[in-house]
């Protein structure tokens, strides 16, 4: 699996393209999706150069893996969609490859919330 250093999220990570940043740490950068599919739509992007979840699972360190998973919950809390909040709850998903509908070849999780997100798969 070859990582393309010129994908759009790589450019955002390098600060070459702006984003509406939500959170950043050693393992993740989170920002709002440019084309939101729900009232709240955030993206949690791995800091490491991984094409997708399969690439990440096979190559990332345990610290990177836990950092990313914890990052998703942390971001959900920051944007107010955590299930701990009254009226909260959200969906997080990751698209993998062509049939999975992945457009940007850099690992990222989506967070959808702020309203009922509806059917799981359409
Ligand atoms: P995928 O289909 O790869 O899982 O999701 C890619 C997501 O990235 C899409 O929801 C798309 O709207 C979002 N996206 C693409 N380009 C940009 C960009 O330049 N900035 C931001 N914030 N989001 C982007």
């Amino acid at each position: 699996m070859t990582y393309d250093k010129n994908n759009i999220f790589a450019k955002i990570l390098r600060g070459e393209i702006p984003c509406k940043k939500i959170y950043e740490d050693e393992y993740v950068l989170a920002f709002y999706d440019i084309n939101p599919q729900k009232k709240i739509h955030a993206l949690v992007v791995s800091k490491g150069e991984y094409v997708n979840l399969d690439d990440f699972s096979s190559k990332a360190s345990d610290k990177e893996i836990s950092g990313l998973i914890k990052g998703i919950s942390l971001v959900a809390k920051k944007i107010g969609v955590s299930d701990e909040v009254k009226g909260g709850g959200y969906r997080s998903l990751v698209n993998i490859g062509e049939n999975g509908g992945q457009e940007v070849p850099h690992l990222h999780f989506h967070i959808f919330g702020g309203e009922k997100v509806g059917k799981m798969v359409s």
Side-chain angles (χ1 to χ4, degrees), residues 16 35 46 63-65 86 119:
E16 294 166 11
N35 182 23
S46 69
K63 276 190 170 176
E64 287 177 291
I65 292 170
K86 193 169 156 38
K119 253 177 84 174

Side-chain angles (χ1 to χ4, degrees), residues 8-9 12 17 19 31-35 41 43 95 101-104 108 110:
I8 200 96
F9 291 169
I12 289 175
I17 289 178
C19 69
F31 49 87
Y32 289 101
D33 198 289
I34 204 167
N35 182 23
H41 184 176
L43 299 168
N95 295 320
Q102 183 178 5
E103 289 168 14
V104 179
H108 55 281
H110 295 256

Side-chain angles (χ1 to χ4, degrees), residues 70-117:
K70 283 175 190 284
I72 295 165
S73 297
L74 232 151
V75 171
K77 275 189 191 149
K78 277 203 175 291
I79 59 179
V81 302
S82 159
D83 199 31
E84 289 170 5
V85 175
K86 193 169 156 38
Y90 63 98
R91 177 170 299 147
S92 182
L93 65 80
V94 58
N95 295 320
I96 301 162
E98 194 181 339
N99 279 358
Q102 183 178 5
E103 289 168 14
V104 179
H106 180 114
L107 175 63
H108 55 281
F109 279 76
H110 295 256
I111 294 178
F112 301 104
E115 63 181 323
K116 294 234 183 294
V117 296

